[in-house]
Amino acid sequence: MAHGQWQVFGLAGRPAARPRLVEGRDRMKARLTLVGALLAVTACTTGPTLENQGTVTAPPGDSKHLTIGTAGFTESDLLAQMYALLLNHAGYRTKILSVTNRELYEPALEAGQIDVVPEYAATFADWLNAKANGPDAPAVGSPDLATTMSALRTLAAPRGLTVLDPGKAVDQNAFAVTAAYAREHKLKTLSDLGAAKLPVRLAAGDECVQRPYCEPGLKKTYGIDITAVDPKGVGTTQSKQAVQNGQDQMVLTTTTDATLDAFGLVLLADDRHLQNADYIVPVVNRSRAGSEGVTRALGALNTVLTTADLASLNQQVDSWRRLPKDVAKDYLVSKGLLRP
C-alpha cells in the first residue's frame, strides 16, 4: 500500500487504519452510527459461539445485497471499490462500509453485518490465531503461501468465514536503497547487499531491532551488517529522505509503496523469502456470500491485479488525488473486466 507518513506498519501486522478526511457532519454522524452498531454486534458475536448459530454448517449463502468492508486506508478502499464494481457487474447490489479497526470489522464479518472484506493472508492468519489461541501463540503466517493459506482457512472456517483464493498481488515488508547506491555496488537483491559486506544504517520503526522480519532477520538470513536502526518510521517521508540524502543507506517500506521513484529509491528483492506471504485475499461471510457467484465475480480480479498494478493505483489516489472509485473503475475497464 502507499503507506506514506500515516503508516504505523505491521511488522506485527497490517495497519488498522489510515486517518481520513471526512466531508461534512452528516457523513461523520452516519459513520459513528454505523460503528456504534458494529460495537453492539461485536459485544455478543465475537468468537466461536457463531458455531452454535449455524453459520459454520449452513450451506454457502448467496445474498443479493452485500456489504463490503474497508479498513479505511487507500489500498483497502481501492480493493473494496473493485470488489463492489465486480459484484455489481455480476448482478449483486452492494454498499461499502469503512470500519478502521480489525477488532470491529472482523466480528462484524462473522455476524453478517459485513459480507466481504479485502485482507492480507499472513497477517490475517496470525490475527485469527492470536484471537483463538492467545496473543503469545506462535505465528502461523509464513513466507510460504500454501502453508499460510492452509492455516488461515483452518482458523477462518470455525468462525463462519470463507477465504477465497489469493491473486498475484502481495503487500509485504520490503527494503529500498537509492538507485545510485544500487548501481554503485551492483545490488539487485538483499543477498547482494549481504555479500557486499557494506555497513548499513536502516531507517525503520524502533520495533525493527526486535522483529524477526527486520534487523534480526536481515542479519541472520542475509548476513547484512546493520550498524543502527534510525527510528524514523516505516515508509515515512522522513525515512525515505534520510536514505535519499545519505544519512541512512536503506529504508523499510512495502512492496506497493507508490512513492519510491519520487525519492530515487529502488527495492531490493527478498530473494531468500524472509517476509511473510501477505497476498491479497477476499474473506467472505460463508452464510451470506459463500456462493459460487461471489467467488467467480471476485476471482476475476486474480487474473489481472499484480503488485505493480496495486502500487500504481495507490499512487493515483495518494499522489494524484483521484477518487478510489474512479481509479478502480478505470482499472477494471482497462483490463476488460467492466464495460466503459
Side-chain angles (χ1 to χ4, degrees):
M1 58 194 81
H3 295 282
Q5 294 188 34
W6 52 269
Q7 175 68 2
V8 180
F9 181 65
L11 286 167
R14 299 227 75 73
R18 170 183 179 174
R20 305 175 72 205
L21 295 175
V22 185
E23 297 177 0
R25 294 181 180 178
D26 290 343
R27 182 176 172 188
M28 176 62 79
K29 182 177 179 181
R31 177 171 175 154
L32 289 174
T33 300
L34 287 167
V35 171
L38 290 178
L39 280 168
V41 168
T42 59
C44 60
T45 59
T46 303
T49 54
L50 288 178
E51 295 176 9
N52 300 326
Q53 300 175 19
T55 47
V56 175
T57 57
D62 194 28
S63 173
K64 295 302 181 182
H65 295 77
L66 299 175
T67 299
I68 300 167
T70 167
F73 55 90
T74 296
E75 188 167 287
S76 188
D77 287 347
L78 281 163
L79 290 165
Q81 290 289 350
M82 285 190 278
Y83 289 2
L85 288 164
L86 289 169
L87 288 167
N88 291 343
H89 183 64
Y92 296 88
R93 296 182 64 182
T94 63
K95 63 180 179 181
I96 293 177
L97 176 62
S98 181
V99 183
T100 59
N101 189 310
R102 189 177 276 118
E103 283 76 9
L104 287 177
Y105 73 67
E106 188 278 330
L109 181 64
E110 292 183 23
Q113 301 296 313
I114 294 174
D115 303 306
V116 185
V117 294
E119 264 293 357
Y120 301 88
T123 294
F124 197 46
D126 285 337
W127 194 88
L128 288 179
N129 187 46
K131 186 176 180 181
N133 300 309
D136 296 327
V140 295
S142 81
D144 182 74
L145 178 59
T147 300
T148 297
M149 288 297 296
S150 177
L152 174 55
R153 284 171 165 154
T154 298
L155 288 160
R159 297 182 177 276
L161 306 180
T162 296
V163 183
L164 304 187
D165 289 341
K168 306 170 187 175
V170 59
D171 186 351
Q172 60 193 173
N173 294 359
F175 297 90
V177 299
T178 65
Y181 185 84
R183 285 193 302 271
E184 179 184 357
H185 299 289
K186 298 180 173 58
L187 308 177
K188 292 184 178 180
T189 68
L190 290 170
S191 289
D192 293 339
L193 181 58
K197 303 300 181 184
L198 297 165
V200 175
R201 182 176 163 93
L202 174 64
D206 55 8
E207 72 277 12
C208 176
V209 297
Q210 297 178 328
R211 302 299 186 187
Y213 309 122
C214 200
E215 179 183 353
L218 291 171
K219 289 181 175 179
K220 181 178 179 180
T221 302
Y222 289 106
I224 297 173
D225 180 17
I226 305 295
T227 60
V229 172
D230 186 3
K232 285 184 165 59
V234 180
T236 62
T237 297
Q238 292 89 339
S239 289
K240 293 170 191 172
Q241 287 175 336
V243 176
Q244 184 182 40
N245 64 28
Q247 178 182 344
D248 300 330
Q249 286 72 51
M250 188 162 68
V251 59
L252 170 59
T253 182
T254 66
T255 52
T256 60
D257 188 332
T259 67
L260 295 178
D261 285 348
F263 293 91
L265 304 179
V266 294
L267 294 179
L268 296 181
D270 180 22
D271 54 309
R272 295 182 185 172
H273 307 292
L274 172 64
Q275 304 305 322
N276 279 346
D278 258 331
Y279 283 76
I280 309 297
V281 290
V283 183
V284 304
N285 178 289
R286 174 183 167 86
S287 65
R288 287 184 49 81
S291 69
E292 179 60 31
V294 170
T295 299
R296 185 168 51 250
L298 298 181
L301 193 59
N302 290 352
T303 64
V304 296
L305 186 66
T306 65
T307 302
D309 288 346
L310 201 48
S312 175
L313 299 178
N314 286 332
Q315 182 181 38
Q316 291 180 52
V317 175
D318 286 334
S319 298
W320 305 356
R321 302 303 179 190
R322 297 189 65 203
L323 294 175
K325 183 175 183 179
D326 294 340
V327 173
K329 182 176 180 180
D330 287 352
Y331 177 76
L332 294 177
V333 169
S334 74
K335 296 298 181 180
L337 298 182
L338 287 184
R339 301 187 193 92

